[in-house]
């Protein structure tokens, strides 16, 4: 692929044809059409063909524009941020859990500290989910306990023990005086104290203000930031727990 | 007989089983109360506003009463007893004093005076609800109603009520008959109703009394301009269902999402809490002339739309039973169902037609709420627009009452102005080109559509029969609906439930049931 250069394809190789649609906050008249063509030109469409314009309400017009762009795409220069685990569908997650763990994967979630914002943990755990994606409760092979808001660290540790949690998810929204960082550090320390090294559940923190690179510093296995979906979390859990199990099996063999 | 040739004996059996399954739940609801039911009573009695931390006075007052005497007597008698003792005439003032700790509550030994005072005050609140209902009827008469069925239902959800208003007005001008303001994510799990006009929310706008009032006033203005009454919808669901119903009644909302099991299954709210709250909220809706929308569409977003088709029918039958029991008339039952079958499945459109027609024929006098595809909207907006067209066609062919307009950008972005315009063009084209096609459309006797409808009804009766062997609460605990297991002793809001004491008194229930 290196060095290969491509252009958009309409009906002939190299024709560079694209189609765009957009709305301008102006009533539909000749000027509006001129404005749409000007925008298309600035976007790099040359020549640009205005094929459809339709006024909506009083002061808005919707446009469809076809045109040719001269930009080149260098496939060799494409850089993709790689996720270090594959994104699975709900079905694949369930199959993977069944095959690799041979039992339900137990997840305990909570908002810890004084934080009462359960929006994040509910979006990830409730069946309702977020943005059309169902939460972890929807996954047949996951057993989910959502403790809700204002859970203390000892309560969380106890719940994780009773539920034999494979993973513990904590959500933190409030960041006043770095409360989210202190809370997560306190939580990870408590789990390290309460569980022997190989038995500790996977610790996952999430919230809109976390830096995803801070996992090590906070003592957790993973941090999820803004815009994370339930599917990403489920895929990560399966990936991380399967890897852990493999490592444990190896250890047994070696012993 | 309708187009499907349904066996009237089977249909009657389905209804009888739904009643059998529902009855013990109604008994449960009649013998328990919740913090939200009691707060709703106080709202009807005129308590308004919130403390400086934003906690409503109704919450402070119910908590104060519960701390002194528990919840099982109802709050009405302890509150009005204290009011008379303190020589106050404003219940909000009493709430403020109680929050400051300067009032003690007791269950009065001689309750006649407190009872009279409570009844008088709550009756005044219900009169306001009655006036709102009369006002709606007058406006519909004077301005005119939606020009056709189905009513076209559009959603706004910016998070900011002052952004929602111009969007809702624009949507109405573009042809919407019903505007729904989506709530902020997670509001259903708040155990209080926020106060005042709100300008930020998560993927929706908080439902508050002031937001209700502002939006209704704006739509009244647009209704006058358009010469047709534009309806407004919000949510009576979650932990504050009874209070939402009261606020909707007081501010003349026209439709409320109000499902008997949604909160249990999808929000993990305690089943008992939900059923108790449900019954009260539906009694209020009945009184307020509000059309409820039930949430069966949600089952199909989690379970397979073909395999789980009969669970939709079962839920519709249960919703109908609970609604009738609470006093709602058929015209108020916007029973839900949805176009969610995988479009790659052979004959998916014929299956959709069969399911939609089954709902139509089982509930001939209910304005069914027909919900667009969401699950199989992939981000391919062109295919999505085609799918929405077929959804609209099923709606026209089966005489649906309320049509939620599908967006081709479902699962991509919150609808843009242009998305809504394209979606409405789609609806207008289908209704304009084929709106009367249901007159000609008769499925072949014994053909695919009839057979499928009979099969779904049969499965629904069988499932109801299985539930009737145990109880509805057991069935919910076992994960019969959707795949969620929800035991009756778990879930959110359980600590806000109390069994009635022998002297439990609720003036609102008394007045609502006397009507």
């Amino acid at each position: 692929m290196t060095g290969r250069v491509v252009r958009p394809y309409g009906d002939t190789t190299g024709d560079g044809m694209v189609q765009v649609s957009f709305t301008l906050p102006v009533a539909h008249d000749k000027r509006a059409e001129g404005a749409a063509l000007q925008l298309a030109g600035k976007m790099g469409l040359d020549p640009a063909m205005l094929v459809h314009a339709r006024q909506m309400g009083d002061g808005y017009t919707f446009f469809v524009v076809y045109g040719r762009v001269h930009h080149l795409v260098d496939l060799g220069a494409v850089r993709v941020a790689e996720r270090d685990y594959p994104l699975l569908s709900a079905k694949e997650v369930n199959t993977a859990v069944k095959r690799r763990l041979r039992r339900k994967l137990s997840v305990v979630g909570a908002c810890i500290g004084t934080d009462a914002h359960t929006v994040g943990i509910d979006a990830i755990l409730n069946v309702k989910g977020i943005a059309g994606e169902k939460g972890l409760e929807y996954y047949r092979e996951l057993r989910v306990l959502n403790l809700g808001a204002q859970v203390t660290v000892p309560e969380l540790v106890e719940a994780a023990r009773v539920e034999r949690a494979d993973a513990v998810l904590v959500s933190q929204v409030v960041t006043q005086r770095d409360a989210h960082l202190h809370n997560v550090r306190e939580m990870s320390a408590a789990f390290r104290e309460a569980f022997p090294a190989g038995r500790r559940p996977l610790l996952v923190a999430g919230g809109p203000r976390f830096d995803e690179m801070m996992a090590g510093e906070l003592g957790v296995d993973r941090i999820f930031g803004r815009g994370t979906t339930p599917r990403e979390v489920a895929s990560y859990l399966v990936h991380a727990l399967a890897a852990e199990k493999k490592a444990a099996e190896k250890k047994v063999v070696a012993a | 007989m309708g187009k499907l040739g349904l066996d009237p004996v089977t249909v009657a059996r389905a209804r009888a089983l739904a009643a059998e399954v529902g009855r013990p739940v109604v008994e449960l609801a009649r013998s328990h109360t919740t913090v939200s039911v009691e707060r709703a009573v106080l709202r009807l009695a005129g308590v308004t506003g919130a403390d400086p931390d934003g906690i409503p006075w109704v919450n402070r007052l119910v908590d104060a009463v519960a701390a002194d005497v528990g919840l099982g007597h109802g709050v009405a008698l302890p509150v009005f007893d204290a009011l008379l003792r303190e020589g106050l005439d404003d219940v909000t003032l009493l709430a403020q004093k109680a929050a400051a700790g300067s009032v003690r509550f007791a269950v009065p030994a001689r309750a006649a005076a407190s009872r009279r005072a409570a009844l008088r005050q709550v009756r005044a609140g219900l009169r306001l609800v009655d006036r709102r209902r009369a006002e709606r009827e007058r406006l519909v008469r004077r301005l005119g109603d939606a020009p056709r069925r189905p009513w076209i239902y559009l959603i706004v959800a910016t998070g900011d009520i002052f952004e929602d208003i111009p969007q809702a007005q624009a949507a109405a001008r573009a042809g919407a008959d019903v505007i729904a303001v989506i709530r902020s994510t997670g509001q259903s799990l708040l155990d209080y109703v926020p106060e005042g006009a709100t300008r930020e929310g998560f993927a929706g706008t908080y439902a508050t009394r002031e937001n209700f009032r502002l939006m209704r006033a704006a739509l009244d203005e647009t209704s006058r301009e358009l010469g047709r009454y534009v309806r407004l919808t919000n949510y009576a669901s979650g932990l504050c269902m009874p209070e939402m119903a009261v606020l909707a009644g007081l501010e003349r909302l026209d439709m409320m999402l109000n499902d008997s099991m949604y909160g249990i299954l999808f929000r993990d709210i305690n089943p008992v809490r939900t059923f108790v709250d449900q019954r009260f909220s539906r009694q209020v809706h009945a009184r307020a002339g509000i059309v409820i929308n039930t949430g069966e569409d949600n089952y199909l977003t989690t379970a397979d739309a073909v395999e789980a088709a009969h669970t939709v029918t079962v839920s519709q039958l249960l919703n109908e039973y609970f609604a009738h029991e609470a006093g709602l008339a058929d015209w108020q039952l916007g029973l839900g169902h949805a176009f969610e079958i995988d479009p790659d499945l052979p004959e998916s459109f014929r299956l959709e037609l069969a399911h939609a027609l089954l709902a139509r024929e089982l509930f001939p006098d209910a304005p069914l709420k027909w919900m667009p595809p969401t699950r199989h909207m992939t981000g391919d907006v062109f295919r999505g627009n085609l799918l929405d067209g077929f959804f609209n066609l099923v709606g026209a062919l089966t005489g649906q009452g309320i049509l939620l307009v599908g967006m081709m950008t479902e699962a991509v972005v919150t609808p843009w102005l242009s998305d809504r315009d394209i979606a409405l063009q789609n609806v207008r084209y289908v209704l304009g080109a084929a709106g009367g096609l249901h007159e000609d459309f008769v499925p072949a006797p014994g053909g695919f559509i009839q057979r499928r409808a009979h099969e779904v009804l049969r499965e629904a009766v069988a499932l109801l029969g299985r539930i009737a062997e145990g109880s509805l609460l057991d069935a919910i605990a076992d994960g019969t609906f959707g795949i969620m297991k929800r035991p009756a002793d778990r879930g959110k809001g359980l600590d806000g439930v109390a069994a009635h004491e022998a002297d439990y008194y609720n003036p609102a229930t008394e007045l609502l049931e006397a009507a």
Side-chain angles (χ1 to χ4, degrees):
Chain A
M1 294 289 266
T2 338
R4 213 182 128 201
V5 167
V6 295
R7 278 200 161 120
Y9 183 102
D11 68 351
T12 312
T13 301
D15 61 13
M17 292 302 285
V18 300
Q19 173 242 58
V20 292
S21 63
F22 52 85
T23 298
L24 291 178
V26 292
H28 181 211
D29 55 16
K30 274 269 194 234
R31 252 176 97 80
E33 295 197 359
L37 284 170
Q38 188 193 95
L39 176 65
K42 286 182 176 168
M43 288 167 75
L45 275 69
D46 179 27
M49 248 190 315
L50 189 115
V51 301
H52 175 69
R54 174 184 152 83
Q55 182 163 324
M56 301 174 293
D58 288 336
Y60 298 89
T61 307
F62 177 68
F63 301 95
V64 180
V65 178
Y66 281 68
R68 177 184 162 90
V69 295
H70 299 269
H71 307 95
L72 302 175
V73 178
D74 177 1
L75 294 178
V78 174
R79 293 282 173 271
V80 187
E82 304 276 0
R83 207 182 317 98
D84 56 2
Y85 56 92
L87 193 59
L88 306 177
S89 69
K91 207 173 184 175
E92 288 166 330
V93 166
N94 287 332
T95 315
V97 171
K98 241 193 253 178
R99 213 182 48 234
R100 295 186 208 161
L101 288 186
R102 297 195 196 90
R103 60 175 168 79
K104 302 231 181 214
L105 190 159
S106 167
V107 179
V108 172
C111 283
I112 55 173
T114 55
D115 197 339
H117 295 76
T118 59
V119 174
I121 195 81
D122 287 332
I124 299 297
L125 295 183
N126 272 189
V127 172
K128 173 76 181 169
I130 182 106
E133 252 189 47
K134 300 291 171 224
L136 299 193
E137 285 191 332
Y138 170 66
Y139 292 68
R140 232 171 254 276
E141 296 300 323
L142 266 50
R143 195 177 76 230
V144 175
L145 177 65
N146 185 352
L147 296 173
Q150 302 188 344
V151 176
T152 65
V153 168
E155 281 168 354
L156 182 62
V157 171
E158 188 49 31
R161 203 198 305 273
V162 172
E163 293 293 317
R164 297 168 168 275
D166 294 297
V168 171
L169 273 52
V170 302
S171 165
Q172 293 281 275
V173 174
V174 172
T175 56
Q176 218 166 15
R177 289 191 219 107
D178 284 340
H180 60 312
L181 304 180
H182 297 307
N183 287 342
V184 170
R185 274 196 203 103
E186 187 196 337
M187 187 269 299
S188 64
F191 271 92
R192 253 165 254 283
E193 203 168 297
F195 290 88
R199 295 285 182 75
R200 177 177 64 79
L202 210 57
L203 301 177
V204 179
R209 295 282 169 269
F210 280 113
D211 176 349
E212 298 200 344
M213 305 309 287
M214 283 179 79
E217 195 183 318
L218 297 179
V220 297
D221 297 289
R222 187 88 187 190
I223 288 175
F224 286 104
R226 197 180 184 78
T228 301
T229 64
R231 210 174 126 202
E232 287 171 319
V233 177
S235 303
Y236 165 72
L237 294 181
V238 166
H239 171 80
L241 289 168
E244 210 171 70
K245 189 157 182 252
K246 222 176 268 170
E249 275 163 6
K250 254 186 219 152
K251 246 183 253 164
V252 172
V253 173
Chain B
M1 202 62 252
K3 296 179 175 182
L4 290 172
L6 296 176
D7 171 20
V9 177
T10 311
V11 173
R13 169 111 183 103
R15 281 212 161 78
L17 279 169
E20 188 183 330
V21 164
R23 214 170 287 123
V25 170
V26 171
E27 277 316 306
L28 189 76
R30 292 172 71 103
S31 56
H32 289 74
T33 187
T34 73
V35 283
S36 183
V37 166
E38 300 300 326
R39 294 194 300 251
V41 173
L42 293 178
R43 287 188 185 276
L44 280 170
V47 181
T48 57
D51 73 9
D53 293 331
I55 304 300
W57 290 119
V58 289
N59 286 61
R60 301 297 304 259
L61 190 49
V62 167
D63 291 350
V65 172
D68 285 355
V69 297
L71 204 62
H73 309 278
V75 300
L77 293 182
V79 162
F80 280 87
D81 170 62
L83 197 74
L84 296 175
R85 258 191 292 124
E86 298 281 322
L88 298 172
D89 54 4
D90 180 354
V91 194
T92 307
L93 203 62
L94 180 77
Q96 291 163 358
K97 289 189 130 195
S102 64
V103 183
R104 303 295 295 172
F105 293 96
V107 183
R110 308 175 65 175
S114 315
R115 189 181 281 249
R116 259 198 317 278
L119 258 181
R120 192 171 52 238
Q121 199 94 356
V122 170
R123 188 179 286 126
L126 281 177
R127 258 198 218 115
L128 204 53
V129 171
D130 293 341
R131 270 214 293 284
R132 293 285 185 240
R133 177 178 180 155
E135 198 172 70
R136 176 193 304 116
E137 285 160 5
R138 201 168 55 241
L139 283 168
V140 169
R141 257 197 325 273
R142 192 185 305 155
L143 299 176
D145 208 340
R148 92 208 78 66
R149 289 280 182 147
W151 290 343
I152 295 174
Y153 180 116
L154 268 176
I155 286 168
V156 298
T158 67
D160 177 349
I161 188 67
F162 297 105
E163 280 292 328
D164 287 344
I165 285 173
Q167 286 214 11
Q169 289 178 315
R173 286 186 199 109
D177 303 308
V178 183
I179 300 292
V181 181
I182 296 287
R183 291 206 301 192
S184 176
T185 297
Q187 182 170 3
S188 53
L189 300 180
L190 296 181
D191 211 343
Y192 66 93
V193 181
E195 278 284 323
T198 63
R199 307 208 62 164
E200 54 180 25
F202 304 91
T205 307
Y206 283 103
T208 72
R209 181 169 182 177
E210 179 62 6
N211 286 350
F212 285 3
R213 191 189 66 77
L214 287 166
M215 184 58 92
R216 188 57 268 173
L219 288 179
D220 279 351
E221 187 187 299
T222 309
S223 297
R224 273 189 281 276
E225 164 198 324
L226 295 172
R228 59 182 166 86
Y229 184 72
V230 180
R231 286 177 172 77
L232 175 59
T233 301
N234 211 287
Y235 292 69
S237 58
L239 289 171
C240 294
M241 200 153 30
E243 296 172 85
M244 287 298 173
V246 166
L247 297 178
L250 290 171
E251 297 299 341
R252 192 172 23 91
L253 266 61
D254 307 283
M255 294 215 254
M256 292 297 272
L257 276 83
N258 191 221
D259 188 82
S260 63
M261 295 191 287
Y262 174 82
I264 303 171
L265 300 175
F266 293 88
R267 286 302 195 180
D268 196 13
I269 295 174
N270 175 259
V272 181
R273 169 78 180 253
T274 299
F275 285 124
V276 177
D277 285 350
Q278 253 298 292
R279 182 162 186 269
F280 186 91
S281 65
R282 287 190 175 189
Q283 289 178 322
V284 174
H285 289 145
R287 177 76 169 235
I290 287 172
V291 173
I292 63 163
N293 293 182
T294 60
E296 283 81 0
D297 50 290
N298 291 287
Y299 299 149
L300 303 183
T301 62
T302 48
D304 180 86
V306 177
E307 274 171 34
H310 66 291
T311 66
V312 167
T313 309
V314 166
S315 173
Q316 288 167 338
L317 286 160
L318 289 171
N319 263 313
E320 179 194 49
Y321 170 75
F322 291 132
H324 283 162
E325 194 281 328
L328 286 157
D330 280 331
W331 65 268
Q332 290 174 291
L333 306 188
L335 298 173
H337 56 147
F339 188 94
E340 288 284 15
I341 298 174
D342 183 351
D344 289 334
L345 190 78
E347 311 298 351
S348 68
F349 183 76
R350 293 166 89 191
L351 288 166
E352 295 282 11
L353 259 177
H355 297 174
L357 203 54
L358 175 63
R360 179 69 290 161
E361 303 223 326
L362 279 179
F363 310 100
D365 301 314
L368 302 178
K369 186 179 184 198
W370 183 224
M371 305 282 288
T374 56
R375 198 176 176 188
H376 299 285
M377 298 299 264
T378 55
D380 178 348
V381 295
F382 304 102
R383 185 177 196 251
N385 199 29
L386 177 64
L387 212 56
D388 280 332
F390 273 64
F391 157 78
N392 293 331
L393 184 58
V394 173
L397 274 173
T398 58
Q400 302 296 316
I402 304 159
L403 185 136
L404 196 151
V405 177
M407 295 290 150
M408 61 189 191
T409 43
E410 177 74 41
V412 183
V413 289
T414 51
W416 290 357
L417 186 70
S418 54
D419 298 335
R420 217 173 269 144
D421 186 68
I422 288 166
L424 279 169
Q425 285 185 61
N426 186 330
V427 172
R428 266 197 295 272
Y429 167 68
V430 173
L431 293 186
L437 192 56
H438 60 89
E439 291 170 19
D440 310 296
F441 167 64
V442 183
F448 182 91
I449 288 177
Q450 279 205 356
R451 286 203 312 276
R452 175 60 187 164
H454 292 187
E455 183 185 12
V456 172
L457 180 59
R458 221 169 27 242
E459 288 173 1
V461 170
L463 176 58
L464 279 166
R466 281 201 303 282
I467 297 171
E469 284 166 18
S471 74
L472 183 56
L473 286 176
D474 291 340
I476 291 169
D478 293 344
T480 303
F481 300 95
I483 55 162
M484 290 66 67
K485 295 187 177 181
R486 304 297 195 202
D489 59 351
R490 293 272 285 268
K492 302 179 182 86
L494 175 60
D495 51 0
V497 181
H500 287 178
E501 301 289 346
D503 59 355
Y504 176 79
Y505 180 63
N506 182 333
T509 310
E510 185 173 298
L511 291 166
L512 289 167
E513 290 183 356

